[in-house]
Amino acid sequence: MSAVLEAVRMGRAGETELLLRSMADTERRALLPELKRLRKEVRALPWERRDRLERMYPALQVAGAMCHSGAAAAAAWIAGADMRWRQAPTETLLRALAGRDTGWQADVARRLAGRPVSADVPFPLMAGLVRRSGCEVPVTDAYVVGWVRHVGHGWGRVPLIDRLRAEPDLAPLVNGLFEFSDVSEVRWLFGDGPGSWQSAIAELTRTGELDRRAVADACVARLLRGGGPTDHRVFLPLLVQLALTREEERARVADWTALARDAVSPVAGHSQAVLAALALDGELTARLLAEASEGLLFRTEKKLVRAQLVLLGKVLAGEPASAAELLPAVAQAFGHEDTQVQERALKLVERHAKRLDDPAARSGIAGAAEQLSPVLRNRAGDALGIPSVPAAEGYAEMLPPAPEPFRPAPAPESAVELAEEVGALLASDGDVAAFERVLDGLARHAHRDRDALREALEPVAATRWWKQPEARSGWHTDEYFGNTRYGLLGAQDGLELLLATLFGAVGTDTLFAAQQRGPADQECAHTGFSRVFDVRLRELAYRIRTDPQPLLLATPSWSTGLLEPGELVDRLAVYGRLGARVGAADFAQALLRVRREDRVAALVAAERAQALGTPEGERLARRLSTGGPALPMSHRRASGARILVESGEVLELQADLPEAFRRLGRPVTVGEERRYCRHWGQENHRHWLATLPEQRELVAVRLVHDLSQAAVDDQRGMATALPLLAESGGSAGESTHLCVAYGLGARHPEDRLAAVDALLVLAARGQLDAERLGADLGQLVRRGAVKPLRLAESARTAAATGANTTIWEMLRHTLPVLLADLATAGASTPGSARGLGELLSVAAECAERSGARGALPHLSQTAARRGSSRLVVQARRLRDALGVEMAA
C-alpha cells in the first residue's frame, strides 16, 4: 500500500495502475480512506501552494477509479471538479477499468455521460467505455457535445462527411443533436455553407444513410420547441438544405402555421414563404390560410405582417369567394401599432367588403375596427356600413397614480430578527428604508447588548470573506477597510465594515485613522455624495467599537429619506437624557434630511429644539427657522454630442457642517466629468437621493453625465435611479428634466422603461414641464445624443398607459426642431432624420386620441413632400389629425 501511495504522491499514473492491478479487490478498497485523505489534503491547500501537489491528480484519479467497487462512486471520483484540470491520460484510465465486467463499465459510461456538460468529461473516455462494454450509446447532452467537439476538431484533412460516415452510432447521435438543450455550446463548430454539419447531414439523408423523414421531423420539432437565441442558425439552414418536396411541405401545414405564429423571425419568415407558395398554388384552403394569418398579423415584425397582407390580397383577388374566411383574418391587423399596416389592412377590407355576405363576419370586422386610429375608423365605418365614430372631444388624460412615500418600520426589536435582515441585505441590495433601519438597528443593539448582537449575527458573519482562515492574519482586512482613498464601494461594503468591526476583524486604530483621514486626492461630480455616505458608515463603525450610540438621529421617517422635524427633536431629547454623545456625521445627515417645506411643523419643532438647551438643539432650531432650500444658479454647457449642466455654490451647505458634507454645496462644472471617476456603480444613487431628499436638483446635476452615458455610450443600468429621482422632493428643474430626456433615449429597454416611469410620476405629481422636456429632446436628437427610434419607443410606451396629452405636449416641442432641419436640409447629423417617421407616428396617434388641434411649425412642408415614405405618410397623418388645412 505504501508503494501505491508513494506512486500517487509522485504523480506516476502508469505505475499506480500497474501496482493496483496486481492487488485484490479487498486490498484496493482498504486504500480508499488514505486516498480520500490525500485528496482532501490537496483541496484544502491555498491556491498559492497548490501547484506543488497538483501533479499527483492524474495518479490520484486512476487510483480512485480502480479502488472504488461501485460504478456510481467510481464515476463520481473520475468526474470530480478538482480532477478536471489535471486528468489522467484516457488510455491509462481505460486500462485501469478494463478488468471490470462489461455491465459495470456500461454503468460507469452512462453515469459519466449523465454529468453536466460543464463537468468536461473526456469524450474518448466515455466512448471507449461504451465500445468496450458494448452498451447502447448514451444520448445525453455531455455525450453529444463531446462527440460534436471530437468530430468537429477533425482527423487531419478528412472531410466532415467522411468522419460522420465512420461513426457506428450515427443515427442516434444525430437525433441527439435535435434534443440537445443548448446548441450555443458547440454552435461555432457547425459552420455554414459547404462542408458544414448541415450540408453533411443533408447529404447523408439524400444517400439514405440517415432516415430523411426522421431528420426532417426532428428538425421541425426542434424549431417548434425553440431553445437558445442562436439555435435557429443551426437548424433552419439544415431544414433549408433538406429541400423538402411539395408533398413533404403540404404534410406539415400545421407545423408551418405554428412556426409562423410563434417562432423567431427568420424561422417565421421561412414558414411564411412555404405557406405562401402552397396558398398561391391552390394547395392551402382559405380556412387554413386564415388560421396562419391570424397569428402572423399579431407579430410585431412589420416586414412579416406586410408580406402576409400582400399574400392575402393576391388570394382574395384570385378567389373572391374566400372573402368571408379571409377578411376577418385581415382585420386582425387593425390592432397593429403601425398605422401604415392598419391602412393596408383597411384597404383590403374596403376593396372586398362588398363580397362579404356573412353578417357574423361583418360584425367581427366592425368590432376589430374599434382598434383603428380615428381617421381610419371612420373609413372602416363607410366601407362596412356602420356609423362613424366622432373624433375624441371629451378626452380625459388617464395617468397612472404616482407612488406614495411610506413610513418604514422601526428597527427590529430582537437581535435575531435584525440578523435576518442583515443577511437579506447582504444577499440582495434592499431599498434605502431597509438599509437605514438596519443601520439604526445595529447602533441600538450594539448600545443595548453587544455580545447578544454578535451571537445573533454569528451565522451571517461565518460566511463572509473576512471571517475565513486566510483573512485572519489581520493585515488584509485592516488594509481593505481602512483605505479611504477610494471610499466605500457600495452599501454592502458598508455592512461588511460594520460586521467586521463587531467581530474584531478590523483594528480600533484602523477605524479611528480611517475616520480622521482626509478625502480622496482626485475628485469628480460624485465625490460629495460618496464621501458623505463613507463618513457616516465609518463613524458608525468607530462608535460601535468605542462608544455605541443609543439610536441614529438620521434614520428617515419616510421612504424617500425625509425626516420629520418633531421626530428629530425627540431623538435629541433621548440623547440628552442618556448623556450620549451625538455623532457629527449622523447629526449632519439628519439636518440635511429634516423636512422644512411644511413651515408650520418646522417652526413648532424649532421652538422645541431651542428649548433643549444643547448645541445640537440650537443648530436644528436655526436650520428649521430658515426658509426652504434655495437652488444655485445653473447654466448649460455643450460637450461633444452631450448637453450638460453646471451649477454654482450652495452657501447653505458650506456652513455649520462637517467638511465632507460641505462638498455637497461646491460648484459642479463640466470639467469634473472629464476627470477619472472611480464611482462605476449605480447602486448608491438611491442613497444619494436620500441624502438630500428636498433638493433633488443638487443630485440630478451630478447625474446628468451618468444618464448621458445611457444614450450616448449605450451603457446599461444608468437610469435605474430615475423613478426615485421623480419621487424625490424639491423642485424638478433643468437637471431633472435633462436626466429624464437622456433616459428616454437610452440604448437598453430597461433604462428607457425607468425613464418612462419617471416621466409619468412627474406628470402625475404635476411637476413635469412638457415644454422644457420636449425642447431638450429636440436638441439632444439634433446633436445625435438621442436617437429618434429609441425616443419613439419610449414615447409609445408612455402613451400606451393613457398619457396621450402628456406625450403630445412633449413631442409638440420636440418635432419642430427636427422638422426645421429637414425643411432646410441642414440637419446637424445625418441620423437626426432617421426614425423621424416613427416619432411622427407616435405624435399622430397621441394627437388623434387626445383631440389635439393647431398648427405645428414646419409640419406642412414635410407633409407636402412627394412619395409614400413613412416620414411623409405620418406627417400627413399628423397634419390631418391636427385639423390643419393643406395650403392651396
Side-chain angles (χ1 to χ4, degrees), residues 607-674:
E607 292 182 6
R608 292 181 55 209
Q610 188 71 42
L612 292 176
T614 63
E616 291 79 18
E618 293 178 2
R619 288 174 61 190
L620 175 59
R622 286 198 301 271
R623 184 168 182 82
L624 292 175
S625 299
T626 60
L631 289 176
M633 297 294 294
S634 64
H635 62 277
R636 296 186 168 208
R637 286 277 302 275
S639 178
R642 294 172 169 85
I643 297 175
L644 302 175
V645 181
E646 294 184 328
S647 68
E649 189 175 41
V650 184
L651 295 177
E652 181 186 59
L653 297 177
Q654 293 296 306
D656 211 20
L657 289 171
E659 193 275 338
F661 288 78
R662 291 200 292 271
R663 294 171 181 271
L664 297 176
R666 292 182 181 175
V668 176
T669 65
V670 170
E672 285 183 317
E673 304 299 350
R674 297 193 180 96

Coordinates of all heavy atoms in Angstrom, one line a residue, residues 607-674:
E607 N -39.0 75.6 18.0 CA -39.1 76.1 19.4 C -38.8 75.0 20.4 O -38.1 75.2 21.4 CB -40.6 76.5 19.6 CG -40.9 77.8 18.8 CD -42.4 78.3 19.1 OE1 -43.0 77.6 20.0 OE2 -42.8 79.2 18.5
R608 N -39.2 73.8 20.1 CA -38.9 72.6 20.9 C -37.4 72.4 20.9 O -36.8 72.1 22.0 CB -39.6 71.4 20.5 CG -41.2 71.4 20.7 CD -41.8 70.1 20.2 NE -41.2 69.0 20.9 CZ -41.1 67.8 20.4 NH1 -41.5 67.5 19.2 NH2 -40.5 66.8 21.1
A609 N -36.8 72.5 19.8 CA -35.3 72.2 19.7 C -34.5 73.2 20.5 O -33.6 72.9 21.2 CB -34.9 72.2 18.2
Q610 N -35.0 74.5 20.4 CA -34.3 75.6 21.1 C -34.4 75.3 22.6 O -33.4 75.6 23.4 CB -34.9 76.9 20.8 CG -34.2 78.1 21.3 CD -32.8 78.3 20.7 OE1 -32.7 78.2 19.4 NE2 -31.8 78.6 21.4
A611 N -35.5 74.8 23.1 CA -35.8 74.5 24.5 C -34.9 73.4 25.1 O -34.8 73.3 26.3 CB -37.2 74.2 24.7
L612 N -34.3 72.6 24.2 CA -33.4 71.5 24.7 C -32.2 72.1 25.4 O -31.6 71.4 26.3 CB -33.0 70.6 23.5 CG -34.1 69.8 22.9 CD1 -33.5 69.0 21.7 CD2 -34.7 68.8 23.9
G613 N -31.8 73.2 24.9 CA -30.6 73.9 25.6 C -29.3 73.2 25.2 O -28.3 73.3 26.0
T614 N -29.2 72.5 24.1 CA -28.0 71.9 23.7 C -27.5 72.5 22.4 O -28.2 73.1 21.7 CB -28.2 70.4 23.4 OG1 -29.1 70.2 22.4 CG2 -28.7 69.7 24.7
P615 N -26.2 72.4 22.1 CA -25.7 72.9 20.8 C -26.4 72.4 19.6 O -26.7 73.1 18.7 CB -24.2 72.6 20.9 CG -23.8 72.4 22.3 CD -25.1 71.8 22.9
E616 N -26.7 71.0 19.7 CA -27.4 70.4 18.5 C -28.8 71.0 18.4 O -29.3 71.2 17.3 CB -27.4 68.9 18.7 CG -26.1 68.2 18.6 CD -25.2 68.3 19.8 OE1 -25.8 68.6 20.9 OE2 -24.0 68.1 19.7
G617 N -29.4 71.2 19.6 CA -30.8 71.8 19.5 C -30.8 73.1 18.9 O -31.7 73.5 18.1
E618 N -29.8 74.0 19.2 CA -29.7 75.3 18.7 C -29.4 75.3 17.2 O -30.0 76.0 16.4 CB -28.6 76.1 19.4 CG -28.9 76.4 20.8 CD -27.8 77.1 21.5 OE1 -26.7 77.4 20.8 OE2 -27.9 77.4 22.7
R619 N -28.6 74.3 16.7 CA -28.3 74.2 15.3 C -29.5 73.8 14.5 O -29.8 74.3 13.5 CB -27.2 73.2 15.0 CG -25.8 73.7 15.4 CD -24.7 72.6 15.3 NE -24.6 72.1 13.9 CZ -23.9 71.1 13.6 NH1 -23.3 70.4 14.5 NH2 -23.9 70.7 12.3
L620 N -30.3 72.9 15.1 CA -31.5 72.4 14.5 C -32.5 73.5 14.4 O -33.2 73.7 13.4 CB -32.1 71.2 15.2 CG -33.4 70.7 14.7 CD1 -33.4 70.3 13.3 CD2 -33.9 69.5 15.6
A621 N -32.6 74.3 15.5 CA -33.6 75.4 15.5 C -33.3 76.4 14.4 O -34.1 76.9 13.8 CB -33.6 76.0 16.9
R622 N -32.0 76.7 14.3 CA -31.6 77.7 13.3 C -31.9 77.2 11.9 O -32.4 77.9 11.0 CB -30.1 77.9 13.3 CG -29.6 78.8 14.5 CD -28.2 79.4 14.3 NE -27.2 78.3 14.1 CZ -26.6 77.8 15.1 NH1 -26.8 78.1 16.3 NH2 -25.7 76.8 14.8
R623 N -31.7 75.9 11.6 CA -32.0 75.4 10.3 C -33.5 75.4 10.0 O -33.9 75.7 8.9 CB -31.4 74.0 10.2 CG -31.6 73.4 8.8 CD -30.8 72.1 8.6 NE -31.0 71.6 7.2 CZ -30.3 72.0 6.2 NH1 -29.4 73.0 6.3 NH2 -30.4 71.5 5.0
L624 N -34.3 75.0 11.0 CA -35.7 74.9 10.8 C -36.4 76.3 10.7 O -37.4 76.5 10.1 CB -36.4 74.2 12.0 CG -36.1 72.7 12.0 CD1 -36.7 72.0 13.3 CD2 -36.6 71.9 10.8
S625 N -35.7 77.3 11.3 CA -36.2 78.7 11.2 C -36.0 79.3 9.9 O -36.8 80.3 9.6 CB -35.6 79.5 12.4 OG -35.9 78.9 13.6
T626 N -35.0 78.9 9.2 CA -34.8 79.5 7.8 C -35.8 78.9 6.8 O -36.5 77.9 7.1 CB -33.4 79.1 7.3 OG1 -33.2 77.7 7.2 CG2 -32.4 79.7 8.3
G627 N -35.9 79.6 5.7 CA -36.9 79.1 4.7 C -36.4 77.8 4.0 O -35.4 77.2 4.4
G628 N -37.1 77.4 3.0 CA -36.8 76.2 2.3 C -35.5 76.3 1.5 O -34.9 77.5 1.4
P629 N -34.9 75.3 1.1 CA -33.6 75.3 0.4 C -33.7 76.1 -0.9 O -34.7 75.9 -1.7 CB -33.3 73.8 0.1 CG -34.6 73.1 0.2 CD -35.4 73.9 1.1
A630 N -32.7 76.9 -1.2 CA -32.6 77.6 -2.5 C -31.7 76.9 -3.4 O -30.7 76.4 -3.1 CB -32.1 79.0 -2.2
L631 N -32.1 76.9 -4.7 CA -31.3 76.3 -5.8 C -30.2 77.2 -6.2 O -30.4 78.4 -6.3 CB -32.2 75.9 -7.0 CG -33.2 74.8 -6.7 CD1 -34.1 74.6 -8.0 CD2 -32.5 73.5 -6.4
P632 N -29.1 76.7 -6.5 CA -28.0 77.5 -7.0 C -28.2 77.9 -8.5 O -29.1 77.4 -9.2 CB -26.8 76.6 -6.9 CG -27.4 75.2 -7.1 CD -28.7 75.2 -6.5
M633 N -27.5 78.9 -8.9 CA -27.6 79.3 -10.3 C -27.0 78.2 -11.2 O -26.0 77.6 -10.8 CB -26.8 80.6 -10.5 CG -27.4 81.8 -9.8 SD -29.0 82.3 -10.4 CE -28.5 82.9 -12.0
S634 N -27.6 78.0 -12.3 CA -27.1 76.9 -13.2 C -27.1 77.4 -14.6 O -27.9 78.3 -15.0 CB -27.9 75.7 -13.1 OG -29.2 75.9 -13.5
H635 N -26.3 76.8 -15.5 CA -26.3 77.1 -16.9 C -25.8 75.9 -17.7 O -25.2 75.0 -17.1 CB -25.5 78.3 -17.2 CG -24.0 78.2 -16.9 ND1 -23.5 78.4 -15.7 CD2 -23.0 77.8 -17.7 CE1 -22.2 78.2 -15.7 NE2 -21.8 77.8 -16.9
R636 N -26.1 75.8 -18.9 CA -25.8 74.7 -19.8 C -24.5 74.9 -20.5 O -24.1 76.0 -20.8 CB -26.9 74.5 -20.8 CG -28.2 74.1 -20.2 CD -29.2 73.8 -21.3 NE -30.4 73.2 -20.7 CZ -31.2 72.3 -21.3 NH1 -30.9 72.0 -22.5 NH2 -32.2 71.9 -20.7
R637 N -23.9 73.7 -20.7 CA -22.6 73.6 -21.5 C -22.7 72.4 -22.4 O -23.1 71.4 -22.0 CB -21.4 73.5 -20.6 CG -21.1 74.8 -19.8 CD -20.2 75.7 -20.6 NE -19.0 75.1 -21.1 CZ -17.9 75.1 -20.3 NH1 -17.9 75.6 -19.1 NH2 -16.8 74.5 -20.8
A638 N -22.3 72.7 -23.7 CA -22.2 71.6 -24.6 C -20.9 70.9 -24.5 O -19.8 71.5 -24.3 CB -22.4 72.1 -26.0
S639 N -20.9 69.6 -24.6 CA -19.7 68.8 -24.5 C -19.8 67.6 -25.5 O -20.4 66.6 -25.3 CB -19.5 68.2 -23.1 OG -18.3 67.4 -23.0
G640 N -19.3 67.9 -26.7 CA -19.5 66.9 -27.8 C -20.9 66.8 -28.2 O -21.6 67.8 -28.4
A641 N -21.5 65.6 -28.2 CA -22.9 65.4 -28.5 C -23.8 65.7 -27.3 O -25.0 65.9 -27.4 CB -23.1 64.0 -29.0
R642 N -23.2 65.8 -26.1 CA -23.9 66.0 -24.9 C -24.3 67.4 -24.6 O -23.6 68.3 -25.0 CB -23.1 65.4 -23.7 CG -22.9 63.9 -23.7 CD -21.9 63.5 -22.6 NE -21.8 62.1 -22.4 CZ -21.0 61.3 -23.1 NH1 -20.2 61.8 -24.0 NH2 -21.0 60.0 -22.8
I643 N -25.3 67.6 -23.9 CA -25.7 68.8 -23.2 C -25.6 68.6 -21.7 O -26.3 67.7 -21.2 CB -27.1 69.3 -23.6 CG1 -27.1 69.6 -25.1 CG2 -27.4 70.6 -22.8 CD1 -28.5 70.0 -25.6
L644 N -24.8 69.3 -21.0 CA -24.6 69.1 -19.6 C -24.9 70.4 -18.8 O -25.2 71.4 -19.4 CB -23.2 68.7 -19.3 CG -22.7 67.4 -20.0 CD1 -21.2 67.1 -19.7 CD2 -23.5 66.2 -19.6
V645 N -25.0 70.3 -17.5 CA -25.4 71.4 -16.7 C -24.3 71.7 -15.7 O -23.7 70.8 -15.1 CB -26.7 71.1 -15.9 CG1 -27.1 72.3 -15.1 CG2 -27.8 70.8 -16.9
E646 N -24.0 73.0 -15.5 CA -23.1 73.4 -14.4 C -23.9 74.2 -13.4 O -24.8 74.9 -13.8 CB -22.0 74.3 -15.0 CG -21.0 73.5 -15.9 CD -19.9 74.4 -16.4 OE1 -20.1 75.6 -16.5 OE2 -18.8 73.9 -16.6
S647 N -23.5 74.1 -12.1 CA -24.2 74.8 -11.1 C -23.2 75.5 -10.2 O -22.1 75.1 -10.0 CB -25.1 73.8 -10.3 OG -24.3 72.9 -9.5
G648 N -23.7 76.5 -9.6 CA -22.9 77.3 -8.7 C -22.8 76.8 -7.3 O -23.3 75.7 -7.0
E649 N -22.3 77.6 -6.4 CA -22.1 77.2 -5.0 C -23.4 77.3 -4.2 O -24.3 78.2 -4.5 CB -21.1 78.1 -4.3 CG -20.6 77.7 -3.0 CD -19.5 78.5 -2.4 OE1 -19.6 79.8 -2.6 OE2 -18.6 78.0 -1.8
V650 N -23.6 76.4 -3.3 CA -24.8 76.4 -2.4 C -24.3 76.8 -1.0 O -23.7 76.0 -0.3 CB -25.5 75.0 -2.3 CG1 -26.8 75.1 -1.5 CG2 -25.8 74.5 -3.7
L651 N -24.5 78.1 -0.7 CA -24.0 78.6 0.5 C -24.5 77.9 1.8 O -23.8 77.8 2.8 CB -24.2 80.1 0.6 CG -23.6 81.0 -0.5 CD1 -24.0 82.4 -0.4 CD2 -22.0 80.8 -0.4
E652 N -25.8 77.5 1.7 CA -26.4 76.9 2.8 C -25.6 75.6 3.3 O -25.6 75.3 4.4 CB -27.8 76.5 2.5 CG -28.6 75.9 3.6 CD -30.0 75.4 3.2 OE1 -30.1 74.6 2.2 OE2 -31.0 75.9 3.8
L653 N -25.0 75.0 2.3 CA -24.3 73.7 2.6 C -22.8 73.9 2.9 O -22.1 73.0 3.0 CB -24.5 72.7 1.4 CG -25.9 72.3 1.1 CD1 -25.9 71.4 -0.1 CD2 -26.5 71.6 2.3
Q654 N -22.4 75.2 2.9 CA -21.0 75.5 3.2 C -20.7 75.9 4.6 O -19.5 76.0 5.0 CB -20.6 76.7 2.3 CG -20.5 76.3 0.8 CD -19.5 75.3 0.5 OE1 -18.4 75.4 0.8 NE2 -20.0 74.2 -0.2
A655 N -21.7 76.0 5.4 CA -21.5 76.5 6.8 C -22.2 75.5 7.8 O -23.2 74.8 7.5 CB -22.2 77.8 7.0
D656 N -21.6 75.4 9.0 CA -22.2 74.7 10.1 C -22.3 73.2 9.8 O -23.2 72.5 10.3 CB -23.5 75.2 10.4 CG -23.8 75.1 11.9 OD1 -22.9 74.9 12.7 OD2 -25.0 75.1 12.3
L657 N -21.4 72.6 8.9 CA -21.5 71.2 8.6 C -20.0 70.7 8.6 O -19.1 71.4 8.3 CB -22.1 71.0 7.2 CG -23.6 71.2 7.1 CD1 -24.1 71.1 5.7 CD2 -24.4 70.2 8.0
P658 N -19.8 69.4 8.8 CA -18.5 68.8 8.7 C -18.0 69.0 7.3 O -18.7 69.1 6.3 CB -18.7 67.3 9.0 CG -20.0 67.3 9.8 CD -20.8 68.4 9.3
E659 N -16.6 68.9 7.1 CA -16.0 69.1 5.8 C -16.5 68.3 4.7 O -16.7 68.7 3.6 CB -14.5 68.9 6.0 CG -13.7 69.5 4.8 CD -13.5 68.5 3.7 OE1 -13.7 67.3 3.9 OE2 -13.3 68.9 2.6
A660 N -16.8 67.0 5.0 CA -17.2 66.1 3.9 C -18.6 66.5 3.4 O -18.9 66.4 2.2 CB -17.3 64.6 4.5
F661 N -19.4 67.0 4.3 CA -20.8 67.5 3.9 C -20.7 68.8 3.1 O -21.6 69.0 2.3 CB -21.7 67.6 5.1 CG -22.1 66.3 5.7 CD1 -21.2 65.6 6.5 CD2 -23.3 65.7 5.5 CE1 -21.5 64.3 7.1 CE2 -23.7 64.5 6.0 CZ -22.8 63.8 6.8
R662 N -19.7 69.6 3.4 CA -19.7 70.9 2.7 C -19.4 70.7 1.2 O -19.6 71.5 0.4 CB -18.6 71.8 3.3 CG -19.0 72.2 4.7 CD -18.2 73.5 5.1 NE -16.8 73.2 5.3 CZ -16.2 72.8 6.5 NH1 -17.0 72.6 7.5 NH2 -15.0 72.5 6.6
R663 N -18.8 69.5 0.8 CA -18.6 69.2 -0.6 C -19.9 69.2 -1.4 O -19.8 69.5 -2.6 CB -17.9 67.9 -0.7 CG -16.5 67.8 -0.1 CD -16.0 66.4 -0.1 NE -14.6 66.4 0.5 CZ -13.5 66.5 -0.2 NH1 -13.6 66.7 -1.5 NH2 -12.4 66.5 0.4
L664 N -21.0 68.9 -0.7 CA -22.2 68.8 -1.5 C -22.6 70.2 -2.0 O -23.4 70.3 -2.9 CB -23.4 68.3 -0.5 CG -23.2 66.9 0.0 CD1 -24.3 66.5 0.9 CD2 -23.2 65.9 -1.2
G665 N -22.1 71.3 -1.4 CA -22.5 72.6 -1.8 C -21.5 73.2 -2.8 O -21.7 74.4 -3.1
R666 N -20.5 72.5 -3.1 CA -19.5 73.1 -4.0 C -20.0 73.1 -5.5 O -20.9 72.4 -5.8 CB -18.2 72.3 -4.0 CG -17.5 72.5 -2.6 CD -16.2 71.7 -2.6 NE -15.6 71.9 -1.2 CZ -14.5 71.3 -0.9 NH1 -13.8 70.5 -1.7 NH2 -14.0 71.4 0.3
P667 N -19.5 74.0 -6.3 CA -19.9 74.1 -7.7 C -19.7 72.8 -8.5 O -18.8 72.0 -8.1 CB -19.1 75.3 -8.3 CG -18.6 76.0 -7.1 CD -18.5 75.0 -6.0
V668 N -20.5 72.6 -9.5 CA -20.4 71.5 -10.4 C -20.0 72.0 -11.7 O -20.8 72.8 -12.3 CB -21.7 70.6 -10.4 CG1 -21.5 69.5 -11.4 CG2 -22.0 70.1 -9.0
T669 N -18.9 71.5 -12.3 CA -18.5 72.0 -13.6 C -18.4 70.8 -14.6 O -18.3 69.7 -14.2 CB -17.2 72.7 -13.5 OG1 -16.2 71.7 -13.2 CG2 -17.2 73.8 -12.5
V670 N -18.5 71.2 -15.9 CA -18.4 70.1 -16.9 C -17.0 69.5 -16.9 O -16.8 68.3 -17.2 CB -18.7 70.7 -18.3 CG1 -18.4 69.8 -19.4 CG2 -20.2 71.1 -18.3
G671 N -16.0 70.3 -16.5 CA -14.7 69.8 -16.4 C -14.5 68.6 -15.5 O -13.7 67.7 -15.7
E672 N -15.4 68.6 -14.4 CA -15.3 67.5 -13.5 C -15.6 66.1 -14.1 O -15.2 65.1 -13.8 CB -16.3 67.7 -12.3 CG -15.8 68.7 -11.3 CD -16.7 68.9 -10.1 OE1 -18.0 68.9 -10.4 OE2 -16.3 69.0 -9.0
E673 N -16.5 66.2 -15.2 CA -16.9 65.0 -15.8 C -15.8 64.4 -16.7 O -15.9 63.2 -17.1 CB -18.2 65.2 -16.7 CG -19.4 65.8 -16.0 CD -19.9 64.9 -14.9 OE1 -19.5 63.8 -14.8 OE2 -20.7 65.4 -14.1
R674 N -14.8 65.2 -17.0 CA -13.7 64.7 -17.8 C -12.6 64.0 -16.9 O -11.7 63.4 -17.4 CB -13.1 65.8 -18.6 CG -14.0 66.5 -19.6 CD -13.3 67.4 -20.6 NE -14.2 68.0 -21.5 CZ -14.7 69.2 -21.4 NH1 -14.4 69.9 -20.3 NH2 -15.5 69.7 -22.3

